[in-house]
Amino acid sequence: MLPSIRSVLTKFKVQGGAQLGTDEELQQLCRQMGLSWRERLLTPIVTLRLFFLQVLHGNVALNALPHIAGFSFTSSAYCEARQRLPLELLQRLLRQVTQKVLEIQPLAAADRWLGHRVFLADATAFTLPDTPPLLKHFGQVPNQRPGCGFPVAFGLLLMHFGSGLLQRLIVAPLKTNELKMLPAAHEELQPGDVVLGDSAFGKYVELALLAQRGVAGVFRLTRRIVDFSPGRLQAAGKQCGRPSSRWLRQLGPLDQIVEWFKPDTPSTYLTPEQWAALPQKLIVRELRYRLDRPGFRVHEITLVTTLLDHQHYSLPALADLFHQRWTIETNLRHLKITLGMDTLHAQTVEGVHKEILMFCLLYNLVRLVMGVTAKTLHVSIDRISFIDALRWLLYEPTASSIPHLITHPVRPDRLEPRVVKRRSKHYPLLTRPRAELRNALLLKSLLIK
């Protein structure tokens, strides 16, 4: 290696991707996994830092990465180096960095609600390159002809309530049901935690699985019949128009304790052993409140929860907690649009998982910068600009001073129409494979001649 290249590489090790940790910390993580490597230009440590820089700069093209890093290497060498990185290494790195970030007081305190850690659960999707391995594994949107669409990966997120940190992102094929992915997310939960989710999670199976771990759930109900009449009757068998739960106690006009029963049909998402371990009955709390805030489409929201103490967990407190569940939509926009994870570039299944993990790692580091700034300015984390924190990571990777970031004003109940002003270019959609269209154009040009 030329001396000039060696000095540039040394400088890169100190500055490039410094947010991941020191070389000693990364080497220790690699040694714990039993990794060994020979001395080369793109060692696992350098490759990790290059991978992070690539995603930090907007998941730039491979040809642009040498200019950012400051030393020369080929795209094929970098691709091979990324393929050599074990998937477990990135998983452990994300877990280790997230754990360290959670030790920061403003981030840890922001996740507490009435003494509980609160997590937000939601699902999302990402588009992938149109390659045969990805199409076979992940699938694509139905009713699309081959060659006219892109593979789509389905993801289930477990996000911290106040800090917005990503605890876990589980990736699966497009047609995977959320309930099938939930048991893997439960591994991140501890007794006393609370999980918030929409109506997709408000089912007996999910509440029972969480209760087995000592975890409470607060989910929305949309399809289940709920009747707040005191002493009302329970539906006999599959009688329509009546709730299937058994009324136990009234806590308020729209607040009651009821008993849910285990469904007769076993869940296809659980093993026979898991299904047999579920209790036959589950005591839950059903409550309803009216939403009179402008800009919200729903006027009445019904919730189900296993938090039964109505004095400690009042209806207004649960309503306010569930209202803040919508922050996950803003955080998802930061993850997918601001960082660019909406469209991934890796062309193999394992490469997709690695790319998503690196995006999650970058996202959590941005949230760390926001948390430190919020503590300094004595404001809530959601008032700190996400994109300005990203710029600070991008342009001041080794800065030791506290970042001074844009702080948004308090805007409660802000009302904005969900429309865009800028018009998109009007091009016809691809309804036939590109090769067929190319042949049609070629035939048309020959006929004209």
Side-chain angles (χ1 to χ4, degrees):
M1 189 185 304
L2 297 176
S4 58
I5 298 295
R6 190 189 303 274
S7 62
V8 169
L9 183 58
T10 302
K11 182 179 179 181
F12 168 77
K13 286 184 176 182
V14 175
Q15 296 183 355
Q19 302 88 344
L20 293 180
T22 64
D23 278 0
E24 290 73 18
E25 292 173 336
L26 294 177
Q27 286 178 2
Q28 181 181 4
L29 183 62
C30 293
R31 300 300 183 192
Q32 289 175 354
M33 294 184 55
L35 294 182
S36 60
W37 59 90
R38 62 182 176 84
E39 277 301 320
R40 64 175 88 194
L41 181 64
L42 299 180
T43 63
I45 310 301
V46 175
T47 305
L48 276 174
R49 297 192 186 281
L50 285 173
F51 198 178
F52 178 79
L53 283 181
Q54 182 184 10
V55 174
L56 177 62
H57 285 77
N59 210 7
V60 295
L62 300 181
N63 292 332
L65 199 51
H67 303 298
I68 297 173
F71 62 96
S72 179
F73 53 89
T74 63
S75 299
S76 59
Y78 171 67
C79 288
E80 292 174 359
R82 264 181 55 170
Q83 290 176 357
R84 288 193 296 267
L85 291 177
L87 181 62
E88 186 183 353
L89 174 62
L90 290 169
Q91 292 171 339
R92 289 194 182 188
L93 180 60
L94 175 61
R95 193 178 302 115
Q96 178 175 299
V97 171
T98 303
Q99 189 61 39
K100 287 184 178 180
V101 171
L102 284 172
E103 295 173 1
I104 306 298
Q105 183 57 33
L107 295 172
D111 294 328
R112 295 287 173 172
W113 174 80
L114 299 180
H116 297 276
R117 287 197 317 169
V118 181
F119 290 91
L120 308 174
D122 205 355
T124 188
F126 322 96
T127 57
L128 313 173
D130 190 9
T131 64
L134 297 182
L135 186 61
K136 179 181 179 181
H137 181 80
F138 291 102
Q140 67 180 25
V141 177
N143 302 325
Q144 281 187 339
R145 296 183 60 185
C148 299
F150 293 94
V152 180
F154 185 73
L156 178 68
L157 297 99
L158 196 64
M159 184 175 287
H160 287 262
F161 163 66
S163 63
L165 288 170
L166 262 174
Q167 182 67 28
R168 185 80 180 269
L169 175 54
I170 304 167
V171 183
L174 175 62
K175 296 182 180 181
T176 307
N177 190 286
E178 296 102 317
L179 296 178
K180 188 176 182 180
M181 305 165 67
L182 279 172
H186 291 171
E187 299 172 0
E188 306 292 336
L189 302 175
Q190 301 173 3
D193 290 344
V194 176
V195 178
L196 289 178
D198 57 19
S199 57
F201 307 100
K203 297 178 174 61
Y204 171 89
V205 172
E206 172 58 10
L207 287 167
L209 287 174
L210 289 175
Q212 286 180 337
R213 291 179 169 268
V215 178
V218 180
F219 305 125
R220 186 179 168 193
L221 287 179
T222 55
R223 299 180 181 179
R224 193 181 184 98
I225 298 176
V226 178
D227 185 356
F228 290 96
S229 302
R232 49 100 175 143
L233 297 177
Q234 175 189 349
K238 296 184 178 180
Q239 185 179 3
C240 298
R242 288 187 178 180
S244 58
S245 60
R246 185 167 70 92
W247 184 88
L248 296 179
R249 183 159 56 101
Q250 186 179 24
L251 304 177
L254 297 175
D255 196 349
Q256 63 184 7
I257 301 293
V258 298
E259 192 173 48
W260 281 14
F261 298 93
K262 187 176 182 179
D264 296 331
T265 305
S267 174
T268 57
Y269 310 121
L270 300 180
T271 63
E273 293 75 18
Q274 290 174 326
W275 178 257
L278 295 182
Q280 295 296 325
K281 301 176 182 179
L282 185 66
I283 297 178
V284 299
R285 180 180 170 194
E286 297 173 341
L287 54 140
R288 180 178 293 163
Y289 62 94
R290 185 172 182 82
L291 194 64
D292 294 325
R293 298 177 179 178
F296 287 79
R297 294 169 291 180
V298 181
H299 298 288
E300 282 190 343
I301 293 180
T302 304
L303 302 179
V304 60
T305 178
T306 48
L307 297 171
L308 306 181
D309 188 347
H310 67 288
Q311 294 182 344
H312 189 62
Y313 311 105
S314 64
L315 193 154
L318 287 170
D320 182 67
L321 176 67
F322 190 77
H323 171 67
Q324 297 182 59
R325 189 197 73 84
W326 289 98
T327 57
I328 196 173
E329 304 295 341
T330 304
N331 295 336
L332 271 174
R333 185 181 186 277
H334 290 321
L335 182 64
K336 296 175 62 176
I337 306 302
T338 306
L339 296 184
M341 200 174 78
D342 192 35
T343 302
L344 301 176
H345 297 166
Q347 299 189 3
T348 63
V349 176
E350 186 174 284
V352 167
H353 286 273
K354 292 178 182 178
E355 193 173 0
I356 288 176
L357 286 170
M358 190 56 75
F359 268 109
C360 295
L361 183 58
L362 171 60
Y363 171 85
N364 280 355
L365 289 174
V366 175
R367 302 298 299 192
L368 169 62
V369 176
M370 295 171 64
V372 172
T373 305
K375 180 182 179 182
T376 305
L377 301 179
H378 304 287
V379 298
S380 59
I381 297 175
D382 57 357
R383 290 188 57 191
I384 305 300
S385 170
F386 183 93
I387 194 169
D388 203 34
L390 176 63
R391 295 187 188 115
W392 186 87
L393 274 178
L394 185 60
Y395 298 113
E396 300 184 49
T398 58
S400 56
S401 59
I402 300 298
H404 298 282
L405 305 178
I406 297 173
T407 304
H408 298 303
V410 178
R411 297 171 288 186
D413 303 329
R414 185 168 62 120
L415 179 61
E416 292 290 344
R418 301 186 69 178
V419 295
V420 293
K421 181 178 180 181
R422 194 175 299 279
R423 271 61 174 172
S424 60
K425 301 295 188 296
H426 294 286
Y427 287 105
L429 298 177
L430 185 69
T431 57
R432 289 190 292 166
R434 194 173 297 276
E436 289 185 16
L437 294 176
R438 190 182 298 113
N439 292 335
L441 289 175
L442 180 60
L443 180 60
K444 184 177 179 180
S445 63
L446 293 176
L447 292 176
I448 292 175
K449 293 180 179 179

